Each structure stands twice: as structure tokens, then as C-alpha cells.
Amino acid sequence: MQQAVAAPLPAAGKRSGNFGDKVFAGVAHASGYFVLALLGGIIVVLFMGGYKAFHQFGAFFLVSTEWEPVQEIFGAAVPIFGTVVTAILALLMAVPLAFGIAFYLTELAPMWFRRPVSTAIELLAAVPSIIYGMWGFFVVVPIMAEYIQPAVIDTIGELPLIGPLFQGPPFGTGILTAAFILAIMIIPFIAATMRDVFETVPAVYKESAYGVGCTTWEVMRSVVIPYTRASVVGGIMLGLGRALGETMAVTFVIGNTNRIATTLFGPGNTIASIVALEFPEAEAGSLKLSSLLALGFVLFVISFIVLAISRALLRPGAKS
Amino acid sequence: MSATLATQSLPGPAKNIEVARSLGSQRHRTNQIVKVLCVAATAIGLIFLASILSTLLIRGVGGISLTVFTTSTLPPGSQGGLLNAIIGSLIQTFIGAAIGTPIGLMVGTYLAEYAQQSKVGNAVRFVSDILLSAPSILIGLFVYQLVVTPFGGFSGIAGCIALAVIVIPIVVRTTEDMLRLIPATLREAVIGLGAPKWKMIVLICYRAAKEGIATGILLAVARVAGETAPLLFTSLGNLNWSTDLTKPLASLPVTIYQYAGSPFADWVQLAWVGALLITFGVLAINIGARLMLRRGK
């Protein structure tokens, strides 16, 4: 009591500070736990929503190719196939381009040119998904239908073994077009990650390689890539994670047919596209809605695994 | 081949000048080819951007008129505009950001100031990073199940909540990164003066990192302004004039989606105008955010 009288101000100040600290720290901690709850909530809510479908069809849901709303038979195999195939094809197209861009931006481009080009590539990531869909539908699809697909059918389509993959009517839409649009959409993510990790390579390493007479490409291949390998793969996985869940762009160009495409020009669907398209026709509480939510749950699980791997690979390198 | 190896392994000037020269020129050629391919890759990336932007300009500019901004969406053939969609988008983006920003800010603060190394902190960081890249359509399904179904139908507020969920991880990432850049000496000076921790964070750290944090918020706004998929299941879209948050609410991306796929020429034209508006709006916010961050540094 005496002490409080002797020094009232610091004590009062301390008490209010303590109180403020407790409240602020409490709110901060609560927010942290809220994010954990959010992810948990998404998993639980999607699973609960899809429970009816999982219960009805069991494991059959994952392997059945049937999607018959009239007979109430729903299988996820076609959209899962479409999701995985378009995402992987997109990676095959995007990775070389993204690598070239990252290589150019870190080693080749003149200094003054790097920032504007970097920004322009990153702006590709800022363009909304729906714009890619419109651009794909009104610009890319006609070009594919008129020039690229007929030309490819007449050349690569004639080859043995891989030929059958490049056949079929040239509608312009389909798996390959969707993968192409996806590739453009994920290029900026992969390129930006690669650029950032390439820049973490200590200059001394590169200089010593140049010092013994390496060319720029040899420095890249023998010093930069081995040094950043894990993070580069992490960046590619990040792109894959993004490609798996893209909705609007894919919906516009994939052709939206529930059939496993036997050619790259054939139509198909993805989990995201079938959910976006069929959702308006699904009544609340119906088996169809439950099946769509179950599809959402499957997509979440796939994305989660891919993104978790990506992050595990990116973190240690990125923070060093 | 054995001659090549023998030449390579010898120190000093090459014994076999011919082999050395061909090796050198071969390496040089490979290098040149890779360089050209990389320039080509960059050019292709830039061409895609240019193609998207020029397509939007060519198809969109012609349709811009005053009615676009003064009239709501109307049936085909009756000279409608996009007013309700623009207002709906502004409302949902603003409220979504207003809900998501404080939460994201506090989570970022928690990660940078309270849980740098803790297990819970690492888990939160991991989950936030997952949410950052998680498919946005799933956020829409989540909010549909959580808000739309129990509360009797599609509503603007459900759309706002879905967008807020997307805003949170973006703000978390930039906030944490920016707070971590603040030098320890600054914190120590503030604590040394006797200030409590929360005052250090709010009055000093936030102020020191304000450009970075604001950049994160702007990037989040730019991202959610163009989101379509989560709104399809939450605010649904509305062809009539409405600003009632408890009813379905129009938005520019959803209207573009509905119009672009329609068979009516005037609707498709309006979709292009909407696409032009949203893209250049989003890109302008993006560039503005970058400029601000650069000035802050």
C-alpha cells in the first residue's frame, strides 16, 4: 500500500499495461486459433456435406465414371481424372516457360529491365480467373480449332503410339485447351518462386564457377539448380496446387462432358468445373448436392497434400 | 571420346587444339541456344499478358457508355447496364476486406510477435499458407454449408464472408513478413522506455510497417474483387437492383460469367465491358500496391 502511494504513476501504468498486454495477446492468440479452426471447419463441413454420398456409394464413389442425376448415381472418377490430367499437362507446359523466365530475370536481363518484366509477369497472376476463361473461350478456342488442332491432327496425330492422343474432331475446346489456359495462369507463381530462390544463391558460388570458365548456362545447371533444387520443386508443386482448383477458366474451355477423354482434344471436366456447373441444379439436401460436396472434399484433400509438400520444400530454403 | 577425356583431364594448355576448340564452341553454342530459349519464354509470357489486355480493350472499349454505369442489368435487347453489379462488387469487396483485414492483421501479429518458434505458431503459419493457395471454390462451398443453408438462402452477407475468408491468409502473410523486417533494436528501444508490448506493436511496429501492411490489404482487395467461384454459391448474383445484404446480391464477376455464356450479343458486349473494368481496376490496385511498397522501402 505504501509503495503504491509512493509511486502511484508507474504502478498504475504497469497495471494498465499488463491489462492491455493481456487483452492484446489474448486477441492475437485467439486469432491464431481461429485460423486453425477455419481450416478444420472447412474439412469438417465439406466432409459432413459429402457424407450422404460417401455413405451411399462408399469407395465406389471414387472409381465410378457414372454421373447420372436422373437415376441418382454419382461417381467421381471422371472429374478426378480431368483435374489431375489437366493440372499435370499444365505443369508440363508451364515449367519450362517459367524456368526460362526465371533464368532470364535472374541472370540474363539487363538490370533496368528486370523490374518491369518481373512486374508484368506477376500481373499475369493478378488477372482474375474469369478473364482467363473469357479470353480462352473467345480467343484461344477459335485459334485452336482453326489452326493448331487440325495441324497437329495431320502431323503428330499420324504417328504411331502417341498419335491417337492427338486425334478427334477439332472443336477447339477440351482437355488440352484447358491445360494450356491453366499453364498461363500458373506460370507467374512458378516463375516468381524460381526467381526468388535463384536469387538466394550466394554470389561467391556463381563467381567461382564463372572463374573456372563456366558459361551462364553451365553456372545455372551446375551451381544454381543443385543449390535450389528443393525450393524449385516446391515452386512447381505450388503451381500444381493452384492448377488443381482453378474453376472459372477451366469451366469456359474444357467442354464439360462427363466422359474420360481418350484424346487430348476431347472434352472432359474437372472437380471444380462440375461443381460450378451442376451446383445450381442441385437442391438442398439432395444426394446430388451431397455428391458435389463430396467432390469438393476430394479436391480439398488432393490440394492439401500437394500444397503441404510444396510448403515443406519451400520453407527451409526460402528462410535461409 | 577417350581422346576428349584425356585432353580435358590434362592441366595447362590443351594438347589437342582441334578437340578443345570444338568442345569450347559446342559449350558456347549450347549456352547461346539456352539464352535464346529463355528470352523466347519471357517474350511468350509477355505476349500472353499483352494478348489478354488488348483483347479486353478491343472488345470492351466500344461498349463503354454512360448507361453502363447508370443502369442496372436488364433483359437482353433493352439497353441494360452494369450498375447493380458494380455496386454489388464494391459492397462485397469492401465488407469482405473489412471483416478479413483485422483478423488477418491479428493473426500476422500473433505469428510475428507471439509465436515465432512455437509449435502452435508453426501450425498456424502452415494452415494460413494452405488457405492462401486453397481452391477458392471450396471456400464458396464451405460458406454455402455454413451460412447459406442454415440461414435460409443466398445472401450478400454470405458472399462477404466467403471473400473475407480469402482475404485473411493474404493479409496474414504480408503482415507477418513486414513485422519481421522491423529491427530488434527498435523494439528494444521501445520496451526499454517502459512501454508495454501491445503499445510497442500498435504504436511502433504497425507504424513502421504500415506501407507493407497496406500493400497486403490492397493485394487482398485486388484478389477478391475478381473472385467468381466463391460468389456463385453464396451471393449467387441478382439481375435486379438490390443492395440488401440479406438477399442475393449481384457482383461484376458473376454477371460477367452469366453474360459471357449467353447467346445475346448485347449481353456478351456488356460482359466484355465488365471484364475490362474489373481487370484494369484489379491491375491498377496491384500496381498501386507495388508502388507504395517501393516507396515505403
Side-chain angles (χ1 to χ4, degrees):
Chain A
M1 221 28 218
Q2 265 181 336
Q3 266 185 333
V5 174
L9 270 178
K14 195 167 183 216
R15 211 177 306 142
S16 85
N18 268 341
F19 180 69
D21 260 356
K22 275 194 185 131
V23 171
F24 195 80
V27 173
H29 280 77
S31 309
Y33 285 105
F34 175 75
V35 170
L36 295 181
L38 199 58
L39 186 88
I42 294 175
I43 296 172
V44 170
V45 163
L46 289 179
F47 183 78
M48 298 286 283
Y51 182 75
K52 206 166 151 188
F54 285 129
H55 185 73
Q56 176 93 14
F57 303 115
F60 177 71
F61 181 72
L62 294 176
V63 293
S64 161
T65 57
E66 277 182 271
W67 187 274
E68 304 287 345
V70 182
Q71 292 151 37
E72 298 247 293
I73 299 173
F74 302 101
V78 176
I80 293 175
F81 170 83
T83 305
V84 173
V85 167
T86 50
I88 288 175
L89 283 174
L91 270 194
L92 290 179
M93 290 185 254
V95 169
L97 283 171
F99 173 78
I101 292 169
F103 186 18
Y104 179 77
L105 285 176
T106 49
E107 304 289 338
L108 303 177
M111 279 297 173
W112 62 270
F113 200 50
R114 290 184 187 183
R115 183 170 272 166
V117 174
S118 252
T119 308
I121 297 293
E122 281 170 26
L123 285 184
L124 269 180
V127 173
S129 172
I130 180 128
I131 306 301
Y132 278 101
M134 279 186 86
W135 178 72
F137 186 73
F138 289 100
V139 176
V140 177
V141 167
I143 294 176
M144 288 292 262
E146 256 182 68
Y147 304 102
I148 296 175
Q149 289 185 350
V152 170
I153 289 167
D154 288 344
T155 52
I156 304 176
E158 302 288 318
L159 295 174
L161 288 176
I162 60 163
L165 282 177
F166 296 92
Q167 282 168 358
F171 289 131
T173 54
I175 301 267
L176 188 68
T177 311
F180 173 71
I181 307 278
L182 282 177
I184 303 170
M185 299 181 73
I186 60 175
I187 281 173
F189 294 100
I190 304 178
T193 318
M194 285 186 178
R195 181 201 59 201
D196 291 347
V197 298
F198 287 172
E199 278 172 355
T200 63
V201 178
V204 173
Y205 290 11
K206 290 195 271 182
E207 281 159 11
S208 32
Y210 281 121
V212 296
C214 284
T215 60
T216 316
W217 166 239
E218 283 163 351
V219 172
M220 180 49 96
R221 206 186 55 187
S222 322
V223 178
V224 176
I225 293 181
Y227 188 85
T228 57
R229 192 183 293 129
S231 306
V232 166
V233 177
I236 293 170
M237 297 296 272
L238 176 70
L240 180 62
R242 292 266 172 178
L244 288 168
E246 262 310 325
T247 311
M248 305 319 294
V250 172
T251 308
F252 269 94
V253 298
I254 199 164
N256 299 311
T257 311
N258 197 69
R259 200 169 51 219
I260 295 215
T262 51
T263 92
L264 293 176
F265 301 151
N269 59 13
T270 68
I271 295 178
S273 76
I274 197 173
V275 171
L277 275 175
E278 305 254 334
F279 184 86
E281 295 152 25
E283 283 167 44
S286 67
L287 188 60
K288 183 173 184 181
L289 183 68
S290 180
S291 301
L292 292 173
L293 288 162
L295 273 176
F297 179 75
V298 172
L299 174 61
F300 191 85
V301 170
I302 301 175
S303 312
F304 185 91
I305 294 168
V306 169
L307 292 172
I309 296 172
S310 153
R311 190 178 175 285
L313 290 169
L314 276 176
R315 271 289 149 168
K319 284 286 165 194
S320 65
Chain B
M1 201 54 204
S2 60
T4 318
L5 286 173
T7 323
Q8 257 185 325
S9 62
L10 286 171
K15 296 288 186 292
N16 188 335
I17 306 256
E18 282 305 307
V19 173
R21 193 169 286 158
S22 87
L23 250 183
S25 69
Q26 197 185 320
R27 288 173 52 217
H28 189 69
R29 213 178 304 128
T30 314
N31 192 40
Q32 287 302 322
I33 291 170
V34 173
K35 277 186 179 176
V36 169
L37 288 178
C38 288
V39 174
T42 311
I44 290 172
L46 296 178
I47 288 170
F48 287 144
L49 182 67
S51 168
I52 293 169
L53 297 184
S54 62
T55 307
L56 288 172
L57 283 172
I58 291 166
R59 306 219 183 186
V61 166
I64 290 184
S65 65
L66 206 57
T67 44
V68 172
F69 302 99
T70 56
T71 322
S72 290
T73 46
L74 291 173
S78 44
Q79 299 243 310
L82 293 169
L83 180 65
N84 55 340
I86 294 171
I87 299 292
S89 259
L90 288 177
I91 293 174
Q92 287 175 87
T93 305
F94 181 79
I95 298 181
I99 300 171
T101 300
I103 300 174
L105 193 64
M106 285 315 289
V107 178
T109 309
Y110 168 73
L111 290 176
E113 306 287 338
Y114 291 95
Q116 289 97 328
Q117 298 299 332
S118 78
K119 275 193 180 146
V120 181
N122 287 336
V124 171
R125 201 170 288 121
F126 172 77
V127 165
S128 177
D129 279 358
I130 298 280
L131 287 176
L132 187 62
S133 301
S136 61
I137 189 166
L138 298 183
I139 311 283
L141 285 180
F142 168 64
V143 175
Y144 173 82
Q145 284 290 87
L146 204 67
V147 181
V148 175
T149 315
F151 294 98
F154 300 101
S155 65
I157 195 71
C160 298
I161 292 171
L163 295 185
V165 173
I166 298 170
V167 165
I168 292 171
I170 305 175
V171 176
V172 170
R173 184 95 320 268
T174 45
T175 305
E176 190 199 353
D177 288 348
M178 292 302 148
L179 287 178
R180 278 170 172 249
L181 287 178
I182 294 169
T185 46
L186 183 63
R187 295 170 201 277
E188 284 157 10
V190 180
I191 296 292
L193 285 173
K197 188 171 183 178
W198 73 273
K199 277 194 177 167
M200 173 196 86
I201 295 170
V202 174
L203 297 179
I204 306 299
C205 293
Y206 283 170
R207 200 173 291 179
K210 68 172 185 286
E211 279 92 359
I213 294 174
T215 302
I217 298 169
L218 280 181
L219 289 178
V221 166
R223 163 91 191 273
V224 297
E227 280 293 348
T228 318
L231 295 182
L232 286 176
F233 314 141
T234 50
S235 63
L236 189 68
N238 190 338
L239 291 180
N240 300 314
W241 169 257
S242 167
T243 53
D244 186 348
L245 282 178
T246 60
K247 301 239 165 62
L249 190 61
S251 64
L252 213 38
V254 173
T255 309
I256 294 170
Y257 177 56
Q258 289 163 337
Y259 276 22
S262 79
F264 313 111
D266 56 338
W267 274 20
V268 174
Q269 176 64 56
L270 269 178
W272 282 111
V273 175
L276 178 74
L277 293 176
I278 199 112
T279 308
F280 281 83
V282 163
L283 294 188
I285 297 174
N286 241 284
I287 292 170
R290 279 158 210 279
L291 288 177
M292 189 162 67
L293 187 66
R294 208 176 303 169
R295 207 188 51 197
K297 279 180 184 170

